[in-house]
Amino acid sequence: TRMPFSGRAVITSLTEVHDYEELHLPWGLFIVMYRFHIENKLYRRGFTPNQAKGFISRCVRQHDPLMREIIDELIEESPYTTHTGKRGLACVFNRNPGLLLASMQYFVITKIKNDVTDTSISMSVLILSGMNAERT
């Protein structure tokens, strides 16, 4: 089933220096998953409900500096951190079918990718086997 605040994307490995529990999400997926939080930020900036929904719809497929600012705000306001202190948004990551040990784990979303054409979720290669993901 599809749960609220959830999404589906291809998994790729993180190639830069990172923490074990770190996730990097694609631009459009993050906006769709966190649209209620983003709408709230837009209302506080004076957007009407129709303006906010239109802005969010436009930003799913194209990069926008205001949306980047809001995303950075959400991450900065989050009380969650990785073990080395990188601030991010907490999430529970599961790859269906997920009935095995370690198939559902806690992660911290520390980065949202700016490239709207990169629609993959990046995570550490150290956890791929637990998530039942394949190395390619």
Side-chain angles (χ1 to χ4, degrees):
T1 62
R2 177 84 189 267
M3 300 297 294
F5 306 106
S6 68
R8 184 179 168 118
V10 172
I11 299 170
T12 59
S13 60
L14 279 172
T15 55
E16 58 198 56
V17 176
H18 62 278
D19 291 334
Y20 169 87
E21 70 268 37
E22 194 172 342
L23 278 183
H24 295 182
L25 291 186
W27 178 267
L29 179 66
F30 179 84
I31 292 172
V32 171
M33 284 175 32
Y34 282 84
R35 68 184 176 275
F36 297 116
H37 305 287
I38 295 168
E39 278 182 32
N40 187 24
K41 293 278 188 190
L42 292 171
Y43 295 155
R44 291 179 184 191
R45 292 171 188 241
F47 280 65
T48 65
N50 285 340
Q51 289 173 329
K53 289 182 191 313
F55 178 73
I56 289 170
S57 294
R58 280 191 308 277
C59 287
V60 168
R61 300 242 184 249
Q62 67 185 24
H63 189 271
D64 185 271
L66 176 59
M67 182 60 78
R68 177 84 253 173
E69 185 180 321
I70 290 171
I71 289 170
D72 291 342
E73 247 178 65
L74 287 170
I75 290 173
E76 188 57 37
E77 291 172 353
S78 174
Y80 303 101
T81 60
T82 63
H83 72 279
T84 60
K86 286 185 188 175
R87 191 167 298 280
L89 300 162
C91 79
V92 175
F93 191 87
N94 178 32
R95 183 177 183 271
N96 287 331
L99 300 174
L100 302 172
L101 181 67
S103 64
M104 182 179 278
Q105 296 183 32
Y106 165 84
F107 288 98
V108 180
I109 302 166
T110 58
K111 181 179 176 183
I112 308 308
K113 300 175 183 180
N114 284 329
D115 183 4
V116 294
T117 61
D118 183 357
T119 58
S120 63
I121 297 171
S122 297
M123 63 173 38
S124 176
V125 294
L126 300 173
I127 54 163
L128 292 178
S129 61
M131 301 302 299
N132 193 23
E134 299 145 359
R135 290 184 191 193
T136 57

